[in-house]
Amino acid sequence: MSNATANDLYTHAQSAASYIRSKTALQPKLAIILGSGLGNFASQVNDATVIPYADIPNFPQSTVQGHTGKLVLGTIGSPNGSVPVAVMQGRVHAYEGYTMAQVTFPMRVLGLLGVEKLIVTNAAGGIDVRYGQGAIVAISDHINLTGTNAALGPNEPRFGQRFFDMSSAYSPAFRKLAVAEAAKQGWTLNEGVYLAVLGPSYETPAEIRAFRALGADLVGMSTVHEVIVARHMGIQVLGLSVVTNMAAGVLDQPINHEEVMEIGQRIEGQFTGLLTALIPQLATHAG
Ligand code: HPA
């Protein structure tokens, strides 16, 4: 990758951001990335401007069932406490054949639009046997086992610094608010470490045993690169996983994508209840 490429990334992200600005005057402060089976949350957005990814210059297209591919801009919450948000209904993954620069391109664009806070969500396999299927878990930290890094290549200083801290990648303050809000709504939000693999194959039982020994509680195929890029830009992050299945070998049964989609629908009410209550709190929190 040459220096021209880092500059190109910035220019391409700027043109995508300009296109989005031409569609709405709304300036999102908080972004939400909706993972597999969780896309319906976008219907909570008021006064929505919906932009298909296909219309946005340079935006990658999702090829996976359950990832709609729309950017929804609008507000969440009551008029006096309403928060301007950008919701990504679907994302792309490296296993679809995209580079990490492409996978994280939307995150770069959101940063240029002025987003300061991110709620990133995903479907994950549960490695910690205490999580049941359908559990919502706050990500406390991650292990990147994808063998690559979205910030590889020449650094673009308009995005951030060459080397950047990841010691509080998932804001402890945001997690605390999320745990408290779940308790207020009558359920326990556990915290756990998310380990990322490339996929698309699900893991083998031996891999899951190895990941458990490494300290992982959850496994998935997304999120870590978006979070790396968000931290590069100084964006504060709350990560939420939905345990759609127990990881390979935990139960004596195969894993299938239909199950992943179905669980998203089953916990929709709980997930929506948590997010709609949390968004105004995160928006006003200094972090
Ligand atoms: N492994 C990896 N990614 C996943 C899983 C899993 O078991 N479930 C949902 N996404």
Side-chain angles (χ1 to χ4, degrees), residues 36 122-126 194-195 197 199-203 208 218-222 242-248 255-257 260:
S36 298
N122 59 52
Y194 177 93
L195 184 145
V197 292
S201 58
Y202 290 117
E203 300 67 40
I208 293 302
L218 303 152
V219 61
M221 304 173 191
S222 66
V242 174
V243 177
T244 50
N245 56 279
M246 295 317 287
I255 299 165
N256 63 73
H257 187 62
V260 171

Side-chain angles (χ1 to χ4, degrees), residues 6 9 22 38 58 60 65 77 86 97-98 112 158 170 188-189 195 209 241 272:
L9 170 64
S22 78
L38 303 172
N58 313 311
Q65 185 209 343
Y98 290 110
L112 292 182
R158 286 170 289 187
Y170 299 83
T188 303
L189 179 67
L195 184 145
R209 288 194 296 276
S241 284
T272 298

Side-chain angles (χ1 to χ4, degrees), residues 36-38 65 133-134 242 244 256-268:
S36 298
L38 303 172
Q65 185 209 343
Q133 200 182 24
V242 174
T244 50
N256 63 73
H257 187 62
E258 285 65 40
E259 183 178 44
V260 171
M261 302 303 303
E262 186 192 303
I263 294 294
Q265 282 155 25
R266 206 192 296 168
I267 56 89
E268 191 178 319

